[in-house]
Amino acid sequence: MSPYFNPIESIASQTSGTDIPHVLAVMAQRYVGDNPPHGPVYRVTRDSEILKQDHHLYQFPIGSMFPELKEGQRVYAWAKLWVDQAQDFIFHVRCYGPVRLYHNGEKRFGSAPEEESEGAALIKLKVALLRGWNHFVLELGKNAAGGSGAEFGTGNRKNKPYHFLAPSTDREGEEGWIYTAPVDSALKSIPGASQAEASTGAEWLPSRGDALEESGGLQALYGHRPGASAYAWTTIVNNSAAVERVTIEGTAYGPISFVLEGSEIYSVSRRGDFSLQVDAKPGKQELLVQCIAREDGWGFQAELTSSKVELACPRRIHGYEGQWLYLGPFPADTQVDAAEYLMLDTIADGDGGSIFWTTDEPGANIRPFLENELFGRWNYPLGVTLFGLLETGSVLRRDDLLDYVSRHVEFATSTYAYSLWDRERYGAAGLNNQLSHIDSLDDCGSFGALAILADRIRPLKGAQPIFDDIAHYIMNEQDRMEDGALYRHIGVSPSMHNTMWCDDMYMSVPFLCRYAELTGDLRYIDEAARQLLLYKKYLFMPEQSIMSHVYDVNLGKQSRTTWGRGNGWVFFSLAVLLAVLPRENERYAEILSFYRELAEGYRKLQGIHGLWHQVLTDPESYEEASCTSMFMYGFALGVRHGWLEYQDPYVRAVLQGWEGLCDRAIDKRGNLYGVCKGSSWSYHNAYYKHDLGWNLNDTHGIGIVLLAGIETERMKEHLGL
């Protein structure tokens, strides 16, 4: 078995190369450096019937958009997508009428008549995406049966919930598709790059409206609402080194009050012109204006004239050039602390429903989008990655790592309520796409367990409702077999329907344990223990003392495939459970016995270099870092807690595993090799060996390696090694 790199490139080749704290620091720093903590990107999304749906495909209902559409006419929809690396990517399209798809000006797909119907099947399209901008144009028509429209978008809604951006130079930064009205003849050329809309020879919708300064106040945004209130928000930016006295003047269309940095500085009680002077400090100051509606109007128009000081939009909103953001309307006589909403992560209770900040143009809405590859995302492998970083920060006493993890988790928790609203309002959320649409254990349990631990470091905004919702989902909504065993009635793809995966032990058991600790309710630990024994019933292979990856519920049999990481998830979960399961629990003895059976089964399969293999029973399959780390983690905990009757073989296995990781899987820059990518399943080990390759720095493995190192160090300290 060849190593992943030349031995001189290994972290073990360095002077302190196998010193555990050193390796932890190098790996953690590499990860944080590669994934800076950028916040969300805010973009304008215009009111349109072309919206995402739950599965993150955009719908193009041109029949309802244009009831006058005739057979032979065409509607064009145009958008662009940025990708960081060239790649082949699977998109999905469903055709309700004639559809052609163009990518960067070249035709990639044309529908056949049998593919065009209301019950049309989903079609998978592989598109070779280029690094940089990729322009997509859909040509949509109406067939003889009256069918029209389509759905199109990402083929990977969980991990790549791509959102498209407006493609023209006229709408730079906006999210969404632009489209034509029905035309009788084809475009002279299909757009394949950013260009002005006028240069295409077509008129593109949705139309852009007038800003408030041109339309006369908040009535254009919120209508005639006597007694209602709303807020306008801007920043005063002083780019000089000294305090500058400036004048803000304009016209009030109703009562207004100016609040600078939390203090009211000026008010107007009636309609008319106004003027106020402000001492602008160097830098930025937040300015809020409360507006009250009267019978004859509401809102204001204002300007500041200075060569050194200006009014500027308080946050960067891509696709918006205005100076003010607006929040409203609120019911009459409602007390509102607008400062609560300045983080742009919280919806407000308005007059008629939930509301969020918007631009000064009716129909041009503001939405946050998560456009980071990893930071801020909520998914199960990141739950393990951040668990490892959290423990590393504690062990190394690195507050910067603890803060990084807290910020990542709070990115998701603080926007949870908003993301639920965003999904309801726009069809699919622009962030928290898995958390806002939980439909599997993958979506909630792993990251939820980590979030509970992160919340112990410092309270996280919006966290508790998430914990409660996840607990409710696992206990009451996730599909179960007749005996109560969790399983996947509906999977991500049809091949996953009606299956039970040993992976799901980690997606449920650690969360149930952490939630029991959080609430003091031992029912959740009891459920975790029950699930582990149910999974043993369906997936344990006693002749080898290891687990089958999958149980096929339809056929009532095991896949009998011996995938490394799937087994690792079970062993990891067992260790987490045993650490908190009371010894007096009625299932404790059986759980401990199961742990020992698996421990011996896994120990016997350790490879000659200290690593375990992708297919545990096949030493010719590649050496896999994540399962290696999970077995080490479980063994090391077992040594410390006295779960193992004979410790010496397991101590040696852990130490050999750490040497193997440092020699063969971690390079001197802290890169991690040999982590199996996300898996489907098969009845054949050949799939795992030949088709299921490994990724560099895959998040399924980074945190596990960190945790394995930490538990190895604790085991050594426990034994005095």
Side-chain angles (χ1 to χ4, degrees):
M1 175 68 64
S2 299
Y4 292 106
F5 41 73
N6 190 295
I8 200 171
E9 290 290 307
S10 72
I11 199 163
S13 69
Q14 307 305 300
T15 301
S16 300
T18 60
D19 177 71
I20 292 175
H22 176 71
V23 176
L24 298 178
V26 172
M27 290 189 68
Q29 287 165 191
R30 185 215 59 78
Y31 179 86
V32 172
D34 284 353
N35 298 284
H38 297 309
V41 175
Y42 295 91
R43 298 190 180 277
V44 168
T45 293
R46 295 185 180 275
D47 287 345
S48 172
E49 291 185 62
I50 299 177
L51 290 172
K52 272 189 176 184
Q53 301 168 89
D54 272 347
H55 48 37
H56 286 260
L57 302 185
Y58 287 85
Q59 61 176 351
F60 298 83
I62 62 169
S64 61
M65 294 168 66
F66 303 107
E68 74 281 6
L69 177 68
K70 300 175 183 177
E71 186 179 356
Q73 290 185 315
R74 302 170 177 87
V75 171
Y76 289 91
W78 176 24
K80 66 183 180 182
L81 176 68
W82 174 274
V83 294
D84 290 324
Q85 294 181 343
Q87 58 186 282
D88 288 339
F89 189 81
I90 301 297
F91 290 90
H92 288 168
V93 63
R94 180 177 280 115
C95 309
Y96 300 122
V99 176
R100 290 180 180 174
L101 173 69
Y102 298 86
H103 171 233
N104 291 339
E106 300 292 330
K107 181 181 174 183
R108 303 298 185 200
F109 170 78
S111 61
E114 60 269 20
E115 296 170 324
E116 305 167 2
S117 68
E118 192 63 34
L122 202 65
I123 299 169
K124 295 182 180 180
L125 301 176
K126 181 185 289 187
V127 178
L129 297 176
L130 304 179
R131 185 187 183 282
W133 289 116
N134 292 261
H135 284 253
F136 291 83
V137 174
L138 285 169
E139 181 185 278
L140 306 163
K142 185 175 184 179
N143 60 25
S148 65
E151 297 174 0
F152 175 75
T154 179
N156 188 345
R157 73 174 180 88
K158 295 280 189 178
N159 298 316
K160 299 290 183 182
Y162 284 144
H163 54 271
F164 288 81
L165 304 186
S168 67
T169 55
D170 310 72
R171 310 179 194 236
E172 190 63 44
E174 294 184 15
E175 183 269 342
W177 294 72
I178 62 175
Y179 53 92
T180 69
V183 295
D184 294 324
S185 57
L187 293 180
K188 292 181 179 179
S189 63
I190 299 296
S194 295
Q195 60 192 95
E197 292 170 22
S199 69
T200 67
E203 182 179 347
W204 296 88
L205 304 170
S207 299
R208 287 170 289 168
D210 295 328
L212 294 186
E213 285 79 2
E214 301 168 1
S215 57
L218 291 177
Q219 197 129 322
L221 274 181
Y222 302 127
H224 183 62
R225 294 174 179 266
S229 65
Y231 288 84
W233 175 28
T234 190
T235 51
I236 300 174
V237 181
N238 181 357
N239 291 316
S240 69
V243 173
E244 296 285 334
R245 171 154 288 198
V246 296
T247 299
I248 300 175
E249 57 186 11
T251 301
Y253 305 118
I256 56 174
S257 299
F258 288 79
V259 177
L260 181 65
E261 295 292 302
S263 298
E264 184 174 326
I265 59 170
Y266 184 80
S267 65
V268 176
S269 60
R270 62 177 63 87
R271 189 181 184 96
D273 293 337
F274 67 86
S275 177
L276 71 150
Q277 290 188 319
V278 175
D279 287 331
K281 299 176 182 178
K284 296 182 179 180
Q285 294 173 279
E286 306 277 1
L287 178 64
L288 284 165
V289 181
Q290 183 188 32
C291 307
I292 306 296
R294 293 290 184 257
E295 285 291 344
D296 56 349
W298 60 322
F300 66 97
Q301 177 184 350
E303 62 180 27
L304 181 156
T305 303
S306 170
S307 61
K308 297 179 181 179
V309 181
E310 63 181 359
L311 298 180
C313 188
R315 299 292 183 268
R316 182 173 186 184
I317 311 295
H318 292 263
Y320 180 53
E321 297 179 356
Q323 299 171 333
W324 297 83
L325 302 182
Y326 297 86
L327 182 67
F330 293 96
D333 301 321
T334 300
Q335 296 296 316
V336 177
D337 182 0
E340 294 180 5
Y341 306 105
L342 300 189
M343 293 300 293
L344 279 179
D345 61 2
T346 305
I347 56 173
D349 294 326
D351 186 4
S354 298
I355 56 175
F356 193 64
W357 293 97
T358 187
T359 70
D360 61 8
E361 181 186 334
N365 312 298
I366 296 171
R367 294 177 66 196
F369 292 91
L370 178 56
E371 298 184 0
N372 303 329
E373 182 66 23
L374 295 179
F375 183 83
R377 291 200 180 276
W378 175 293
N379 61 39
Y380 85 80
L382 278 171
V384 193
T385 297
L386 296 179
F387 181 19
L389 284 175
L390 190 73
E391 289 288 279
T392 298
S394 297
V395 168
L396 299 183
R397 299 181 180 178
R398 289 276 300 272
D399 289 342
D400 59 323
L401 294 179
L402 298 177
D403 180 65
Y404 179 88
V405 174
S406 296
R407 291 172 66 187
H408 181 134
V409 179
E410 194 166 45
F411 186 113
T413 61
S414 65
T415 57
Y416 177 54
Y418 169 82
S419 65
L420 294 175
W421 175 81
D422 190 73
R423 178 189 171 206
E424 181 180 356
R425 170 73 170 80
Y426 298 103
L431 38 67
N432 279 345
N433 64 295
Q434 293 191 45
L435 179 59
S436 66
H437 186 188
I438 296 173
D439 64 6
S440 71
L441 293 171
D442 281 4
D443 292 338
C444 57
S446 168
F447 204 103
L450 168 277
I452 291 175
L453 296 176
D455 192 57
R456 296 176 185 174
I457 301 298
R458 66 170 174 83
L460 303 176
K461 181 179 179 180
Q464 187 61 51
I466 296 174
F467 303 153
D468 296 339
D469 286 355
I470 293 173
H472 175 79
Y473 177 83
I474 294 175
M475 298 294 283
N476 302 301
E477 296 185 18
Q478 174 64 33
D479 291 309
R480 293 171 180 256
M481 298 173 67
E482 289 185 3
D483 58 6
L486 300 167
Y487 84 113
R488 307 182 183 201
H489 176 56
I490 301 295
V492 176
S493 64
S495 66
M496 299 181 185
H497 295 347
N498 292 310
T499 54
M500 174 187 289
W501 296 37
C502 56
D503 313 43
D504 286 337
M505 283 296 85
Y506 190 75
M507 313 312 155
S508 56
V509 167
F511 176 84
L512 293 171
C513 293
R514 306 302 182 203
Y515 192 73
E517 293 176 311
L518 177 69
T519 62
D521 191 338
L522 294 181
R523 288 181 304 150
Y524 295 97
I525 286 182
D526 290 340
E527 178 65 10
R530 185 169 78 101
Q531 288 300 322
L532 264 170
L533 294 177
L534 284 169
Y535 269 56
K536 177 185 179 183
K537 167 185 169 182
Y538 289 103
L539 292 167
F540 186 57
M541 299 187 291
E543 70 280 5
Q544 296 171 291
S545 291
I546 59 177
M547 304 287 279
S548 166
H549 180 208
V550 167
Y551 179 82
D552 187 331
V553 176
N554 282 336
L555 297 180
K557 67 176 184 177
Q558 299 173 345
S559 66
R560 301 195 64 78
T561 42
T562 56
W563 182 39
R565 187 161 66 236
N567 276 266
W569 290 129
V570 174
F571 200 55
F572 194 108
S573 302
L574 260 173
V576 171
L577 175 61
L578 276 174
V580 298
L581 186 66
R583 289 180 177 268
E584 60 271 18
N585 186 283
E586 62 180 358
R587 295 187 176 93
Y588 183 87
E590 191 175 358
I591 292 287
L592 179 61
S593 175
F594 185 29
Y595 166 86
R596 289 171 174 171
E597 285 183 277
L598 287 177
E600 184 59 12
Y602 298 142
R603 186 190 65 80
K604 292 179 178 178
L605 294 171
Q606 188 173 23
I608 60 174
H609 300 116
L611 307 178
W612 278 261
H613 291 268
Q614 163 74 344
V615 177
L616 292 177
T617 53
D618 184 354
E620 293 186 356
S621 63
Y622 62 85
E623 294 173 324
E624 207 281 326
S626 66
C627 72
T628 293
S629 301
M630 285 192 270
F631 298 145
M632 290 170 56
Y633 179 89
F635 292 166
L637 276 175
V639 170
R640 279 206 301 123
H641 289 285
W643 302 332
L644 296 160
E645 296 176 293
Y646 305 102
Q647 295 187 348
D648 286 353
Y650 298 99
V651 172
R652 289 195 297 272
V654 172
L655 297 178
Q656 289 168 5
W658 183 251
E659 293 292 330
L661 288 171
C662 294
D663 277 332
R664 302 175 68 81
I666 308 170
D667 73 15
K668 62 185 180 183
R669 296 171 183 83
N671 294 301
L672 177 63
Y673 296 71
V675 177
C676 175
K677 61 187 180 182
S679 168
S680 183
W681 74 282
S682 174
Y683 276 109
H684 307 288
N685 279 328
Y687 161 73
Y688 302 86
K689 180 177 180 179
H690 299 297
D691 298 335
L692 195 56
W694 60 274
N695 288 332
L696 180 67
N697 292 322
D698 194 292
T699 51
H700 290 86
I702 295 168
I704 295 293
V705 170
L706 296 174
L707 292 167
I710 290 167
E711 288 306 326
T712 299
E713 184 78 351
R714 289 171 175 165
M715 181 194 75
K716 290 170 64 177
E717 292 173 355
H718 173 75
L719 297 174
L721 298 178

